[in-house]
Amino acid sequence: MMIGLRLLSAAPLHLVSRQIHKLASLRNATSLPPKKMQSILYPFRGLEEHLDRSVDRMQFQLFHPSVEDMMEAEKLFCSSPTHRIDYYTSAERLDHAPALKQPEVCFIGRSNVGKSSLIKALFSLTPEVEVRVSKTPGHTKKMNFFRVGKAFTLVDMPGYGHRAPRDFVDMVEPYLYSRKNLVRTFLLVDGSVGLQKADLVALEMCEETRCPYVIVVPKIDKCGQGALLTNLLNLQEVVNSQTTGCFPQPFLISSIHYWGIHLLRCFVAHVTGSVRLKDTSQGGKDANQCH
């Protein structure tokens, strides 16, 4: 399913406001038994025991903030009268994009990869954002801009591959090359199927733009652990051997179960400079460093 986002105030009256999932709140997640809490906050922990000893685990845990830092970052994703989170505008081309000064992050991925479902989960503490569901892959046809107060802007990009807009390249490439306030691109790769040819093209495009990017791996709940580990290790081999601008750590996500959502919120807050975190890693490496 592809999810379209829009303002609640602009939605038809028959649409009912969605309820906030209990795990959307970090406070609720930390009240769970320790093992279950760890699997939600740090999804890699559940896979680590199945990895061969020869596999370097550090690259999967470079960004490893404390629960306290995640709590601080979560505040950015809660709307208030002084910190409004809302849909701002849409644009089909770069010259139609709004001239915004705050740091910007964009999310890009193959059609039906779960990109908009991920954005739904990130904004799940924000009642102002209503979610429209479409069963049609490639539902997002424009660049959709969401303002997170004065802190940063999040951009939902059109999907590539199946049912992508005809002018996808003309729409996206100029944005990635020229958007001066773009601080990080989040490239989604489906964890249940692994890297596809279209993903490799997108990866190459991110490399060419020389803007720092990071890989997000959604749908980790849609396959067995063996398949997920195989896809993940294949992905890491490509990242380690063929990229220079990609942050080495992939962010593992299940938008349905909220695995990794709190960690990703914290990373977004960190790279946009929206919060100053006390401890961002186990190994002492800054998350702004790129491999």
Side-chain angles (χ1 to χ4, degrees):
M1 287 188 180
M2 296 301 295
I3 312 293
L5 295 112
R6 60 177 295 171
L7 276 176
L8 177 61
S9 59
L13 293 178
H14 68 270
L15 285 177
V16 179
S17 297
R18 56 186 172 84
Q19 293 183 343
I20 295 177
H21 194 287
K22 62 181 181 180
L23 294 180
S25 165
L26 184 56
R27 190 171 300 278
N28 289 339
T30 55
S31 67
L32 297 171
K35 189 172 183 179
K36 190 170 184 179
M37 179 194 75
Q38 289 290 330
S39 68
I40 293 173
L41 302 190
Y42 310 104
F44 177 72
R45 290 277 183 87
L47 295 174
E48 190 173 7
E49 60 186 85
H50 303 288
L51 281 177
D52 187 86
R53 291 183 179 181
S54 62
V55 177
D56 179 16
R57 282 135 169 90
M58 183 56 67
Q59 62 182 332
F60 295 99
Q61 303 175 87
L62 291 172
F63 185 76
H64 197 278
S66 65
V67 172
E68 290 74 21
D69 279 338
M70 288 193 202
M71 287 280 193
E72 190 65 27
E74 185 180 89
K75 296 176 183 177
L76 279 173
F77 291 85
C78 298
S79 189
S80 71
T82 58
H83 179 73
R84 284 183 56 81
I85 301 174
D86 55 16
Y87 163 79
Y88 182 58
T89 191
S90 296
E92 292 185 353
R93 311 183 76 84
L94 179 62
D95 54 1
H96 296 161
L100 301 172
K101 294 182 179 180
Q102 58 261 48
E104 204 159 271
V105 295
C106 75
F107 285 72
I108 186 172
R110 190 166 49 87
S111 295
N112 208 30
V113 74
K115 173 171 53 66
S116 296
S117 294
L118 169 60
I119 294 174
K120 167 192 171 183
L122 290 174
F123 285 154
S124 55
L125 296 172
T126 307
E128 288 85 352
V129 179
E130 177 64 24
V131 179
R132 299 291 303 271
V133 178
S134 171
K135 295 182 180 180
T136 306
H139 182 70
T140 305
K141 300 295 186 183
K142 300 179 180 180
M143 298 182 283
N144 298 317
F145 293 76
F146 295 87
R147 290 189 301 187
V148 181
K150 296 180 180 179
F152 63 90
T153 304
L154 186 151
V155 186
D156 181 12
M157 305 293 281
Y160 54 79
H162 180 62
R163 297 184 66 88
R166 291 183 180 180
D167 55 351
F168 172 84
V169 173
D170 293 337
M171 186 188 308
V172 175
E173 268 199 349
Y175 171 87
L176 295 179
Y177 270 106
S178 307
R179 195 68 170 174
K180 293 182 179 180
N181 58 332
L182 178 64
V183 297
R184 195 74 47 140
T185 296
F186 290 80
L187 174 62
L188 275 65
V189 174
D190 189 333
S192 66
V193 299
L195 273 171
Q196 305 293 295
K197 289 183 178 179
D199 297 321
L200 292 171
V201 173
L203 195 101
E204 184 177 350
M205 181 171 62
C206 288
E207 282 290 311
E208 290 176 353
T209 63
R210 298 184 181 276
C211 180
Y213 65 102
V214 61
I215 293 178
V216 178
V217 184
K219 298 188 178 182
I220 64 171
D221 57 312
K222 300 297 184 182
C223 64
Q225 287 189 332
L228 177 59
L229 279 172
T230 298
N231 294 336
L232 194 57
L233 292 176
N234 288 340
L235 171 63
Q236 285 307 96
E237 184 178 353
V238 170
V239 169
N240 293 335
S241 62
Q242 300 182 27
T243 73
T244 58
C246 184
F247 183 58
Q249 176 181 334
F251 285 81
L252 310 184
I253 297 289
S254 167
S255 299
I256 295 176
H257 301 292
Y258 282 79
W259 301 342
I261 292 297
H262 306 284
L263 183 65
L264 187 59
R265 282 177 184 157
C266 197
F267 187 78
V268 171
H270 178 61
V271 297
T272 56
S274 304
V275 297
R276 182 176 293 276
L277 306 180
K278 297 176 182 178
D279 183 13
T280 58
S281 78
Q282 291 182 321
K285 293 184 179 181
D286 191 291
N288 282 309
Q289 294 179 344
C290 285
H291 177 69

